[in-house]
Amino acid sequence: MSGPARKKPSAASRLAIQVVAYAAAIAISIFFVYPFYWMIVNSFRTQEAVLSRPLALLPEQFDFAAYETIANIGGVSLTTYLTNSLLITAVATALGVSIMAMGAYALYRSPKLPLFGTVRNTFLVAIMYPNMLLVIPLYFVVYYLGLLQSQAGNYVGIVLSISIVPLVFILFLQFFRNIPSELLDAAVMDGATEWQIFRRIVLPLAKPVVLTACLIAVLLNWKQWFQILVISTSPDTYTLPVALLSLNTEYGVNFQATMALATLTCVPVIIVFILTQRRVMSGFLAGAVKG
Amino acid sequence: MTTAVATATPRRLLPHLSRKAAGNAWHKRTLYLFLLPFAALTAIFGLWPIGQSIYLSFTESYTALSPQPVFVGLENFREILSNPDFLDSLWRTLLFTFVSVVLNVLVALVLAVMLSQPILERGRTLFKLAIFLPVITPDVAGFIVWKWMFNQDFGVVNAVLHGLGLPAFPGVTEPVSAFATLTIVELWHHVGLYTLIFLTNLQLLDRDLDEAARIDGATRWQRFRYVTLPQLRPAIIINSVYALIEFLKTFTVIVVITRGGPNFSTNFVSYFAYTKFGNAQYGEAMAMATVLFAAVAVLAAALVWAMSRGDYR
């Protein structure tokens, strides 16, 4: 039976479908982005203005009072929180990415060495364990390690406890799996040491994945809060999200100041993400899908 | 000639082999050094707290931190499992998890199918960017913004509902709506990752199968149901398991938005354990943590088993 070719939809109905599809996609995108927009706009609006017109798309006039209010939160200067965020994120990322790259490489290179399987399984169990419930006993661990006694100890505890990012570790495992082992075996034949192979062959190949790993680690370390709250013995080691949380709960209800601090916490992340979105999303996928 | 070769070859290989053997030992030592920092951090900040947590769940709370903790066996577990508040909390956690897993996987699937349509080619990157943005921005900040958006005085949610002539949404002031609020906010935060996973899998689909079904006269829905969906099965399993683990652990959103209220309606297990910990009831807090971990492990394993078993063709 040579039935007639399926009727092509007319140009008009195609256009109609397209318009509806774009309208839906835009509406959905607004649902995801609008909270950030509302946060930024309202950080510049007075409380009275927000109460009378909560939906305003632009500030009537730019009011910077909230940013002045948050210059000091709970007796600690905003610059301290900002510095902590930058410092802790940078150090935890540099340290964590190095440690995870080498660890994942070793597991890939000789998965059958004694104890290597144990390390891998321990890691898998640890990431299954409800993170939030791991942080509470973490307090005791940090206490036993003597890291609660000084501010420097607090910083060390914070950085070490957040530096392993499961997603990034899996990303490295994934990447190394794709390096042809003949390449490394040939280098071994030529008498290269394991360190030389890592330094001269693997690292140059891994440059793109190291960059992706750093980006993802920066984004995920920046948003950490619970470990930091639990380990900190004073607000002096708080980062921006932790300061934001304490503004939310402890220091009364100041809508505008909360929006201002939330804006400062989010905007750097939003900028970095927009500039690097392709890399970040593909990194998340590689780490998530095949892990 | 052949014998000459046979004897010559081993001799030629020998120095090479011995160098390789020596290299092997050294190679192993280097690899252990490579793995050591990672193993140490995993042990100290992963294994030790888990061990600590399980150990404390068998001790009397007020002796937990003393040099000689008193072991009480399963007393803490008996205590929490006979506490109606805990059973209630466990039930609510499971209900929330079930609703959220189903909702997130469905919404992600719909969004991904929609975004994969060729007519949305232009602008797809922007749509993906929008949906993924909440996944990587600090959750504390996003949740705080939502808390205010649901606020009765400042909030946009009720302003919009009012503008549309609809009744106000009570937000976190009533148990059922508080539960719904958390579901919506958690979906907003997590669904982007699941969508992205589906979207990638959709783009890897076998186009020929779809084309063959189309030529055979299958309708759009039939093609989706019998051609696309079976191919997406691995992605559905992965997303369901991720979502299950994620939502059983729901915590930050409660700390920020509801603090377990109103009337303990959102007092999920992780938050309940956290408040017990705050009251120095370490034994009970850790017993709750252990129960939750068991739930995560058992349910995740059961889900993988159930989903990879049946062949729904």
Side-chain angles (χ1 to χ4, degrees):
Chain A
M1 194 176 104
S2 60
R6 200 173 295 250
K7 243 186 173 171
K8 286 263 174 211
S10 70
S13 77
R14 267 190 71 87
L15 185 70
I17 292 171
Q18 197 156 17
V19 168
V20 170
Y22 272 98
I26 290 169
I28 290 163
S29 303
I30 289 174
F31 168 72
F32 287 98
V33 176
Y34 181 73
F36 298 113
Y37 183 79
W38 191 73
M39 160 191 88
I40 296 170
V41 167
N42 286 329
S43 72
F44 296 111
R45 299 177 71 213
T46 62
Q47 214 136 312
E48 294 72 40
V50 179
L51 277 169
S52 60
R53 290 174 58 228
L55 290 168
L57 288 178
L58 284 174
E60 295 77 3
Q61 65 219 26
F62 282 87
D63 177 65
F64 291 94
Y67 289 89
E68 283 158 30
T69 312
I70 60 168
N72 190 304
I73 304 161
V76 178
S77 139
L78 179 65
T79 49
T80 305
Y81 298 128
L82 189 64
T83 317
N84 284 342
S85 266
L86 292 170
L87 197 78
I88 288 171
T89 302
V91 177
T93 301
L95 191 75
V97 169
S98 316
I99 289 174
M100 287 184 287
M102 295 175 81
Y105 173 73
L107 286 184
Y108 148 77
R109 192 82 178 95
S110 283
K112 298 222 165 64
L113 282 181
L115 290 178
F116 275 37
T118 315
V119 172
R120 180 196 286 265
N121 293 337
T122 306
F123 170 75
L124 290 177
V125 171
I127 60 175
M128 270 261 279
Y129 203 83
N131 184 30
M132 293 310 165
L133 300 173
L134 206 62
V135 175
I136 298 168
L138 178 72
Y139 179 81
F140 301 119
V141 168
V142 178
Y143 166 77
Y144 292 133
L145 291 173
L147 295 175
L148 293 179
Q149 282 140 13
S150 66
Q151 197 168 316
N154 282 189
Y155 278 119
V156 171
I158 290 168
V159 165
L160 290 181
S161 71
I162 67 173
S163 60
I164 299 293
V165 184
L167 186 75
V168 171
F169 186 72
I170 293 167
L171 186 67
F172 275 122
L173 283 180
Q174 270 313 118
F175 172 79
F176 290 132
R177 217 174 282 168
N178 293 330
I179 295 183
S181 53
E182 296 82 38
L183 189 68
L184 307 187
D185 291 340
V188 173
M189 289 293 185
D190 290 342
T193 65
E194 214 41 57
W195 172 249
Q196 286 168 331
I197 295 173
F198 182 71
R199 182 77 194 72
R200 302 244 176 89
I201 302 174
V202 176
L203 271 190
L205 279 175
K207 239 180 218 164
V209 77
V210 169
L211 189 58
T212 307
C214 286
L215 268 172
I216 291 180
V218 162
L219 293 173
L220 295 183
N221 287 335
W222 182 270
K223 65 188 265 192
Q224 288 287 4
W225 67 274
F226 197 33
Q227 281 98 322
I228 301 172
L229 180 66
V230 165
I231 295 174
S232 295
T233 42
S234 82
D236 292 320
T237 50
Y238 282 5
T239 55
L240 289 174
V242 187
L244 182 58
L245 193 70
S246 58
L247 193 64
N248 182 48
T249 51
E250 283 163 32
Y251 304 109
V253 181
N254 185 337
F255 170 74
Q256 208 188 349
T258 309
M259 291 301 121
L261 190 57
T263 301
L264 287 183
T265 310
C266 289
V267 165
V269 172
I270 296 174
I271 293 172
V272 170
F273 175 59
I274 289 175
L275 293 177
T276 59
Q277 45 100 5
R278 198 175 291 269
R279 194 174 273 280
V280 170
M281 288 199 274
S282 68
F284 259 83
L285 277 170
V289 179
K290 301 153 198 161
Chain B
M1 193 64 186
T2 36
T3 45
V5 171
T7 48
T9 314
R11 205 178 304 148
R12 283 249 303 278
L13 276 175
L14 261 178
H16 188 95
L17 276 179
S18 65
R19 202 175 68 194
K20 201 176 165 191
N24 254 352
W26 180 223
H27 148 137
K28 281 178 190 160
R29 202 177 326 169
T30 318
L31 289 180
Y32 276 104
L33 281 177
F34 276 16
L35 191 61
L36 185 66
F38 177 77
L41 284 186
T42 307
I44 296 172
F45 295 104
L47 206 56
W48 190 359
I50 292 177
Q52 188 76 23
S53 164
I54 294 170
Y55 166 81
L56 287 177
S57 70
F58 294 109
T59 60
E60 179 70 56
S61 287
Y62 67 86
T63 65
L65 297 180
S66 67
Q68 268 110 31
V70 175
F71 277 89
V72 292
L74 293 171
E75 190 48 49
N76 290 315
F77 290 92
R78 209 170 294 140
E79 176 96 26
I80 60 165
L81 289 175
S82 63
N83 178 355
D85 290 344
F86 177 74
L87 295 178
D88 195 41
S89 165
L90 188 61
W91 155 243
R92 282 173 200 281
T93 310
L94 293 175
L95 181 69
F96 178 80
T97 304
F98 176 74
V99 171
S100 290
V101 169
V102 172
L103 198 67
N104 275 267
V105 172
L106 272 181
V107 169
L109 188 59
V110 170
L111 287 180
V113 168
M114 185 181 147
L115 289 182
S116 69
Q117 298 303 316
I119 49 167
L120 284 178
E121 182 72 58
R122 284 143 133 263
R124 184 178 294 146
T125 309
L126 273 180
F127 298 138
K128 267 164 67 179
L129 203 128
I131 293 174
F132 200 72
L133 190 62
V135 177
I136 47 98
T137 38
D139 43 3
V140 170
F143 294 155
I144 285 180
V145 174
W146 272 105
K147 175 185 158 184
W148 285 100
M149 297 215 320
F150 278 112
N151 181 278
Q152 304 298 307
D153 301 321
F154 290 85
V156 290
V157 175
N158 278 327
V160 169
L161 290 175
H162 184 74
L164 294 172
L166 295 167
F169 182 68
V172 298
T173 59
E174 282 174 21
V176 176
S177 62
F179 196 89
T181 302
L182 293 192
T183 312
I184 295 168
V185 176
E186 279 284 280
L187 176 101
W188 173 82
H189 181 52
H190 291 292
V191 83
L193 180 61
Y194 311 135
T195 306
L196 201 66
I197 291 174
F198 276 135
L199 196 55
T200 310
N201 279 271
L202 279 169
Q203 283 158 352
L204 295 174
L205 287 189
D206 189 344
R207 295 253 163 258
D208 295 342
L209 277 178
D210 197 57
E211 186 59 22
R214 203 180 63 77
I215 291 168
D216 286 347
T219 64
R220 204 174 252 271
W221 168 251
Q222 284 173 328
R223 265 150 46 209
F224 177 73
R225 175 70 184 79
Y226 298 102
V227 179
T228 307
L229 213 49
Q231 291 189 75
L232 282 180
R233 189 127 138 238
I236 294 175
I237 297 178
I238 284 180
N239 273 337
S240 304
V241 172
Y242 279 163
L244 180 80
I245 296 176
E246 190 64 56
F247 291 116
L248 274 175
K249 303 192 287 195
T250 301
F251 179 73
T252 306
V253 74
I254 302 174
V255 172
V256 173
I257 298 185
T258 65
R259 313 222 116 223
N263 197 17
F264 300 105
S265 59
T266 59
N267 192 25
F268 298 160
V269 174
S270 58
Y271 189 75
F272 199 179
Y274 177 63
T275 51
K276 285 274 177 198
F277 174 78
N279 296 335
Q281 291 172 293
Y282 306 119
E284 290 173 31
M286 293 310 157
M288 288 183 184
T290 308
V291 169
L292 189 61
F293 176 51
V296 170
V298 168
L299 288 177
L303 188 65
V304 171
W305 178 77
M307 291 187 98
S308 48
R309 198 176 50 114
D311 185 354
Y312 53 84
R313 239 184 345 135

